[in-house]
Amino acid sequence: MSPIKYYIVTILICFSTILTAQNSANEDVELLKMRVDNYVTQSGFESDRGDYYNAIDNLQKALELAKKVNDKKSTGNIYTKIAKLQYLVEEPENALVSLTKAAELQREINDYADLAVTYNIRGILHSSKKEYKTALEYFNSAKTKFEEEGLEAYISEVTLNEAKVYIELEDYKNAKSLLEKTIVLSKKHNQTKILSSALINSGKVLQHIDKNNPSSLSMTEEGLQIAKSNNIIENINDGYLTLSDVYQGVENYKLANEFLKKHIRLSDSLLDIKRENLSPERRAQFINEYKDAKTKDMEVKTAKNCQSISMVNTSPRKKPIKDLNAIIMSDVATATFISTFASITKAGIIRNPPPAPIIPVIAPTINPSIIIKR
């Protein structure tokens, strides 16, 4: 073989080796990206089942692979998903760190749509810590980004979250306006969960504005019916409590008491599900906080009902007193049971609460009380 041919063959061999290596590297990147997607998908299934810690583990694996292939968009999205789960398992500080990292990456690559999702979740986080002013700022930023990106379907979630903050602030005028917008958008985009929550919260707001407004009852019932039809457990629970408040506002204490009992029973079932998905260190603390909040809520409602009985006693209408007294005694007995049972559960004597005979069995899949689309 002549020297010229030898050199040509050598060059061709080297060139083919380089091409093969490049193709292999490209295949490796694509393979790693597929593994990222698989981990994220698996995490989603586990999150839907309430298996939050395994969901976080799979997202952590996906995060490492996304960093390895320098996929900044996926890395930012995964940080946001991790933050959502950290919020659900009562780790707000870790969630804040994850959200900060997500936002930094999303700003760097101009991923404004996903940045809006991150802002929305951060608003939820600040709202849970009663930092309402900061929460509203993040919700407003999220809404602005969604509008700029032409993502109208995601705005309804943000306006619902804003309305919930204004309800906490007892600014019912702004809450009402935002809920009306949420209802229009959620109907337009067929978002049943958001629509159900918006209707129930509208009933709550109207009851505060005018307790005799018939729309407060009709809107709450409509929202509850949608929740039942779609097994949206947290909305069903909120609907029961809202109906109890609405009926109490119009002095129908029998129905108020019945819906309050339904709310308590379903809350106990949700408590057990949530407790099982908390770390061991958080379980006892969570049960204590839940017990104290529920007992306090029951004391307030019992005091209101007792005051109503006193007013009835001083009026010419004496007939309902016997029934009302029975209702109040039932409320007090229920509050005592909750307090005693929570203490026993904390001590480890009983692992699971007794089944609720009146409430139908509902699929165990639950989602967070504040909706997160992406």
Side-chain angles (χ1 to χ4, degrees):
M1 182 182 293
S2 67
I4 295 175
K5 290 182 178 180
Y6 176 80
Y7 290 131
I8 292 173
V9 170
T10 303
I11 291 170
L12 288 173
I13 292 172
C14 292
F15 186 68
S16 64
T17 302
I18 293 171
L19 285 177
T20 302
Q22 287 178 341
N23 289 335
S24 177
N26 289 335
E27 288 176 2
D28 288 344
V29 169
E30 292 303 316
L31 182 62
L32 289 174
K33 286 184 177 181
M34 287 178 61
R35 290 178 62 192
V36 169
D37 292 339
N38 288 338
Y39 279 129
V40 171
T41 301
Q42 183 62 31
S43 173
F45 291 145
E46 289 164 342
S47 178
D48 289 341
R49 293 197 303 267
D51 189 0
Y52 300 135
Y53 281 100
N54 280 329
I56 291 174
D57 287 342
N58 276 312
L59 285 177
Q60 293 287 4
K61 293 174 183 177
L63 182 65
E64 292 303 315
L65 294 176
K67 288 180 178 179
K68 189 173 181 179
V69 297
N70 197 31
D71 187 344
K72 292 184 178 181
K73 181 177 176 63
S74 292
T75 302
N77 289 341
I78 293 168
Y79 271 127
T80 300
K81 293 177 185 293
I82 289 173
K84 170 188 170 182
L85 293 173
Q86 288 169 331
Y87 166 75
L88 292 176
V89 298
E90 309 288 334
E91 296 178 2
E93 298 307 318
N94 289 337
L96 184 59
V97 171
S98 297
L99 288 171
T100 301
K101 291 178 179 179
E104 288 175 355
L105 284 169
Q106 287 156 353
R107 290 192 200 97
E108 180 184 339
I109 62 174
N110 299 328
D111 185 6
Y112 297 122
D114 289 318
L115 180 61
V117 175
T118 300
Y119 283 158
N120 184 42
I121 298 174
R122 185 148 183 173
I124 294 170
L125 178 62
H126 285 290
S127 177
S128 71
K129 297 167 69 175
K130 300 188 184 303
E131 297 169 354
Y132 298 127
K133 182 179 179 181
T134 304
L136 288 172
E137 289 173 354
Y138 276 104
F139 288 142
N140 186 59
S141 296
K143 189 166 55 177
T144 301
K145 292 295 181 185
F146 282 135
E147 289 171 349
E148 290 173 352
E149 296 298 308
L151 299 172
E152 184 188 65
Y154 296 99
I155 295 174
S156 57
E157 177 187 340
V158 183
T159 54
L160 176 59
N161 291 333
E162 283 182 302
K164 290 180 179 180
V165 171
Y166 281 114
I167 290 173
E168 292 297 322
L169 293 171
E170 299 183 1
D171 184 348
Y172 300 117
K173 182 179 179 181
N174 273 323
K176 181 175 179 290
S177 175
L178 286 163
L179 288 168
E180 288 170 351
K181 182 176 182 179
T182 303
I183 290 170
V184 171
L185 289 173
S186 58
K187 285 181 177 179
K188 179 179 178 180
H189 298 286
N190 196 29
Q191 299 164 323
T192 54
K193 186 172 183 178
I194 296 176
L195 176 60
S196 167
S197 182
L199 288 166
I200 291 169
N201 278 281
S202 291
K204 191 180 301 181
V205 167
L206 292 175
Q207 195 269 338
H208 281 287
I209 294 174
D210 178 7
K211 64 182 181 180
N212 294 313
N213 189 333
S215 295
S216 63
L217 177 59
S218 61
M219 295 186 83
T220 305
E221 288 179 331
E222 183 183 353
L224 179 59
Q225 185 56 49
I226 293 172
K228 286 182 175 180
S229 299
N230 293 275
N231 282 341
I232 309 170
I233 302 179
E234 64 272 20
N235 288 4
I236 294 172
N237 201 31
D238 192 27
Y240 286 154
L241 181 59
T242 303
L243 280 177
S244 176
D245 291 338
V246 170
Y247 280 120
Q248 182 169 300
V250 294
E251 300 182 5
N252 189 335
Y253 302 113
K254 183 177 180 180
L255 285 177
N257 185 66
E258 287 178 5
F259 281 106
L260 181 60
K261 285 180 179 178
K262 289 183 178 183
H263 167 70
I264 291 169
R265 287 169 183 153
L266 187 51
S267 293
D268 286 341
S269 298
L270 292 173
L271 165 66
D272 188 56
I273 294 170
K274 186 170 184 178
R275 183 190 62 180
E276 290 301 318
N277 289 289
L278 292 175
S279 63
E281 295 79 12
R282 282 287 298 141
R283 286 182 186 175
Q285 181 184 350
F286 178 78
I287 292 169
N288 253 345
E289 291 171 353
Y290 177 86
K291 180 192 71 174
D292 293 342
K294 280 295 173 188
T295 302
K296 184 176 181 181
D297 185 56
M298 284 297 300
E299 287 173 353
V300 171
K301 287 182 178 295
T302 301
K304 287 182 178 178
N305 284 342
C306 287
Q307 184 180 8
S308 300
I309 287 177
S310 176
M311 293 173 65
V312 172
N313 274 324
T314 58
S315 71
R317 296 179 296 172
K318 299 292 184 181
K319 187 176 180 181
I321 295 176
K322 183 177 179 181
D323 292 337
L324 286 170
N325 275 311
I327 290 169
I328 299 307
M329 291 303 294
S330 176
D331 274 351
V332 173
T334 305
T336 304
F337 167 77
I338 291 171
S339 179
T340 304
F341 174 72
S343 299
I344 293 172
T345 305
K346 181 184 176 185
I349 299 172
I350 299 177
R351 180 174 178 80
N352 296 313
I358 297 179
I359 303 301
V361 177
I362 304 176
T365 300
I366 62 169
N367 294 315
S369 68
I370 302 178
I371 310 153
I372 302 173
K373 290 281 295 179
R374 292 169 64 106

